[in-house]
Amino acid sequence: MSTVPPAKVVDCVVIGAGHNGLSCAAYLARAGRSVLVLEAGARIGGAAATREFAPGFRVSAGAHLLHSMPLRLRTELRLEAHGLSMAAESMPTTALLQDASALVIDAAGGAIEAAAHAAYDARMRRLAAAILPALLRTPPRLQGRSWSERLEWLRLAMRLRLLGRRDMRELLRIGAMNVFDLLQEHFESEALKGALAFDAVLGTHYGPRSPGSVFTLLYRLAGQAAAGGMGLAQPKGGMGAVCEALASTACAAGAEVRTGASVARITVEGDRATGVELQSGERIAARAVISSADPKTTLLCLLGARHLDAGFVRRIAQLRTRGVAAKLHLALDRAPAFAGLDARRLRGRLLIAPSMHYIERAYDHAKYGEYSAAPAMEITVPTINDASLAPPGRHVLSAIVQYAPYTLTGGWESGRARFLELALGLLERHAPGLRESIVATELLAPPDIEREFRITGGHWHHVELALDQFHCLRPVPGASRYRAPLSGLFLCGAGCSPGGGVIGTAGRNAALQVTQETH
Ligand SMILES: Cc1cc2nc3c(=O)[nH]c(=O)nc-3n(C[C@H](O)[C@H](O)[C@H](O)COP(=O)(O)OP(=O)(O)OC[C@H]3O[C@@H](n4cnc5c(N)ncnc54)[C@H](O)[C@@H]3O)c2cc1C
């Protein structure tokens, strides 16, 4: 224990100014707590930041589409009043196919199997709505004895019961199933099945045939239901604008946000977290320390295993945290032209996932430490909706490229250039002439994502999103209610319930726990 007195004393220190850390800070400050947010990076936003990647070209460096942030959170925190607006909402999806044609994917009347798609979509949204409380609320413990926890289980049971017999049976049947089998039951078109399956595996270590991939699809659809009908959206100014608005609302309520402030360790006295020490040596005392860094970073690096029970440490160390999604950014001197695509469709997102077999084959490589020979992609051209992101007449292409395993055989140092070349070759086949228009490129493989956003393994969800790492099991039993097993220490990042994506609920729920426990 150091004898140096802390330079500053606050009620709450929040580690990390990603969107969850900022949402947590905003709720805590509005509840009257003095709050200091410490961000190691030079800017706020974490994996939801906008930054320049080539002179004059800006991009959402991690997340690029907003679809799961609950309307309630956006309203409670008055994000619009704090500057958040959308450059586009309800962005349509178009699948790019191998024969240089394109397929419009729209449940409300797409080009193919329209009636079957509408019926499937309506049912999946009903089923997803039933799991909504599990996404929005603090998970009760399996054997939680408090009335609030019993009520929470009851609430979940009621939502399932209200589905009615047929839908309830269907949810139980498909809940742990793979999306490949589910979509085979509903559709003929390989192109439609490929596009629908990709949403189930985006950001996860899953292929369409992986058991549990229906659950990840329901998770995404439930998030969209909570977001209140905005569909896929592009914030004006990029994803960083969400975090700017969160920081603004937090600061208006009295919170302080510091960048370039890397936390070296969480200080402990007796059996309680008492504050943090920065890399600079500065110490800050706090009644509550709330970390949005991933669970391995928070508990094993910043706190240290010696303060935790050996079994708990083992469970944290075993969490699956290796990312498989890479991010590709292109600076272009003109708008890209995709074969067979009406230019207006560039306002939406484009998918390269022409069939479920294509995605599964792409995934096969990742299982053995290779990148996909033919990757799947989610592509946006954000400058079509928001010209402020590039110099006049110029454009940005932002793509999530799967699969790119964190641990690549031969290493990413030599692998990055080859994977970039492969991704550009694939894009060129769909958009002939694209290469000639490229001014600058950037490819972030999972180790780059780990370095830039300080996420162990560079995983989209911090901790793999799977049934065994969800709800009351997330990140592990014993820390599922945002409380670490050390008094005064809380978690509030994507590694907690409900999981990753730009949602903000983990931050909100953690703040509620902290306010209940620190009067
Ligand atoms: C490539 C990629 C694409 C994605 N695309 C989408 C998408 O389109 N839509 C979507 O909804 N989601 C997407 N996601 C997921 C989403 O970006 C994340 O799940 C979400 O941003 C996590 O937010 P967070 O606040 O929990 O954590 P983070 O954003 O990871 O923030 C944690 C913060 O803590 C800071 N930190 C860590 N350690 C310390 C320390 N010692 N001291 C101080 N600060 C520290 C970090 O610097 C970081 O700023 C994507 C993710 C990736 C990686």
Side-chain angles (χ1 to χ4, degrees):
M1 196 172 72
S2 169
T3 50
V4 182
K8 193 170 171 94
V9 182
V10 290
D11 291 332
C12 304
V13 156
V14 177
I15 302 174
H19 81 287
N20 272 316
L22 292 168
S23 117
C24 184
Y27 280 104
L28 286 170
R30 285 156 50 103
R33 304 297 192 271
S34 57
V35 183
L36 175 62
V37 184
L38 299 168
E39 168 54 50
R43 63 174 175 272
I44 65 167
T50 308
R51 65 154 167 77
E52 195 171 62
F53 71 102
F57 292 85
R58 294 189 308 132
V59 73
S60 299
H64 61 181
L65 288 171
L66 186 69
H67 44 78
S68 296
M69 181 170 268
L71 177 60
R72 177 174 172 186
L73 185 145
R74 301 200 310 272
T75 312
E76 282 174 350
L77 295 182
R78 302 182 57 246
L79 295 190
E80 276 184 23
H82 286 275
L84 180 64
S85 66
M86 297 302 150
E89 290 190 20
S90 301
M91 293 163 68
T93 295
T94 308
L96 303 174
L97 305 182
Q98 277 160 321
D99 62 359
S101 65
L103 176 69
V104 174
I105 308 290
D106 185 355
I112 205 161
E113 297 188 64
H117 189 187
Y120 161 86
D121 188 70
R123 183 171 229 187
M124 290 300 280
R125 286 184 193 279
R126 281 201 307 278
L127 303 186
I131 64 163
L132 205 49
L135 261 77
L136 295 180
R137 306 174 63 88
T138 298
R141 286 165 301 181
L142 269 178
Q143 290 194 307
R145 291 182 192 282
S146 70
W147 281 111
S148 64
E149 286 173 274
R150 288 178 188 180
L151 200 66
E152 209 46 56
W153 283 121
L154 201 64
R155 193 191 304 269
L156 270 167
M158 281 301 291
R159 286 296 279 257
L160 294 181
R161 192 79 183 79
L162 285 172
L163 275 175
R165 192 161 55 89
R166 286 185 57 205
D167 276 351
M168 194 163 60
R169 201 167 52 200
E170 183 66 357
L171 183 58
L172 291 177
R173 187 181 76 85
I174 69 171
M177 196 170 143
N178 72 57
V179 77
F180 184 97
D181 288 344
L182 178 73
L183 293 170
Q184 290 289 55
E185 289 176 6
H186 288 266
F187 304 107
E188 297 293 325
S189 158
E190 294 304 328
L192 181 59
K193 286 184 282 192
L196 295 176
F198 194 31
D199 272 348
V201 301
L202 252 179
T204 69
H205 213 302
Y206 278 173
R209 286 183 190 268
S210 306
S213 45
V214 169
F215 156 73
T216 43
L217 182 59
L218 289 170
Y219 173 85
R220 187 174 165 104
L221 294 174
Q224 290 183 13
M230 76 177 173
L232 302 177
Q234 183 189 323
K236 189 157 177 32
M239 197 58 89
V242 177
C243 293
E244 294 296 338
L246 284 165
S248 167
T249 191
C251 293
E256 184 190 340
V257 181
R258 261 203 235 169
T259 52
S262 178
V263 172
R265 67 183 187 99
I266 293 164
T267 54
V268 177
E269 279 172 30
D271 55 0
R272 199 189 154 88
T274 54
V276 296
E277 185 175 319
L278 304 188
Q279 294 286 359
S280 63
E282 182 186 352
R283 297 181 71 227
I284 294 154
R287 292 166 65 205
V289 176
I290 309 107
S291 176
S292 67
D294 66 83
K296 285 184 180 171
T297 297
T298 302
L299 297 163
L300 305 184
C301 303
L302 301 182
L303 178 63
R306 67 187 179 285
H307 297 293
L308 298 163
D309 171 88
F312 183 85
V313 168
R314 200 169 48 246
R315 287 203 298 275
I316 294 291
Q318 284 167 350
L319 287 170
R320 300 189 300 284
T321 55
R322 291 177 175 203
V324 283
K327 191 79 193 301
L328 173 67
H329 305 141
L330 302 181
L332 306 173
D333 68 8
R334 70 197 89 135
F338 286 87
L341 191 79
D342 182 331
R344 282 172 304 181
R345 302 296 295 180
L346 279 185
R347 294 203 168 278
R349 69 167 180 161
L350 312 177
L351 301 182
I352 299 180
S355 72
M356 295 198 288
H357 289 297
Y358 178 99
I359 307 172
E360 189 68 32
R361 272 195 287 272
Y363 176 56
D364 282 344
H365 292 273
K367 292 182 216 160
Y368 305 106
E370 299 158 7
Y371 52 67
S372 309
M377 289 194 200
E378 179 186 72
I379 303 160
T380 65
V381 185
T383 36
I384 297 283
N385 298 315
D386 182 357
S388 73
L389 296 169
R394 307 283 179 109
H395 286 274
V396 168
L397 183 147
S398 163
I400 291 156
V401 190
Q402 276 185 213
Y403 295 80
Y406 175 77
T407 311
L408 182 71
T409 308
W412 277 105
E413 252 351 281
S414 57
R416 193 180 291 98
R418 281 183 279 122
F419 191 54
L420 171 63
E421 186 53 31
L422 192 146
L424 292 180
L426 179 59
L427 283 170
E428 176 75 19
R429 280 202 287 286
H430 287 281
L434 180 85
R435 271 181 191 274
E436 285 166 24
S437 66
I438 297 175
V439 177
T441 61
E442 178 180 61
L443 180 83
L444 303 178
D448 305 314
I449 291 169
E450 176 177 69
R451 236 181 338 268
E452 177 166 351
F453 306 124
R454 297 170 187 80
I455 299 172
T456 309
H459 199 295
W460 176 305
H461 292 276
H462 284 194
V463 169
E464 186 66 56
L465 186 71
L467 280 166
D468 65 315
Q469 296 184 158
F470 181 62
H471 196 235
C472 59
L473 304 175
R474 189 173 180 86
V476 295
S480 62
R481 288 167 67 76
Y482 309 99
R483 237 188 257 123
L486 179 82
S487 187
L489 179 61
F490 298 81
L491 301 172
C492 73
C496 306
S497 181
V502 181
I503 303 177
T505 305
R508 179 181 185 274
N509 290 353
L512 292 179
Q513 291 296 317
V514 174
T515 46
Q516 278 165 18
E517 290 183 27
T518 56
H519 298 289

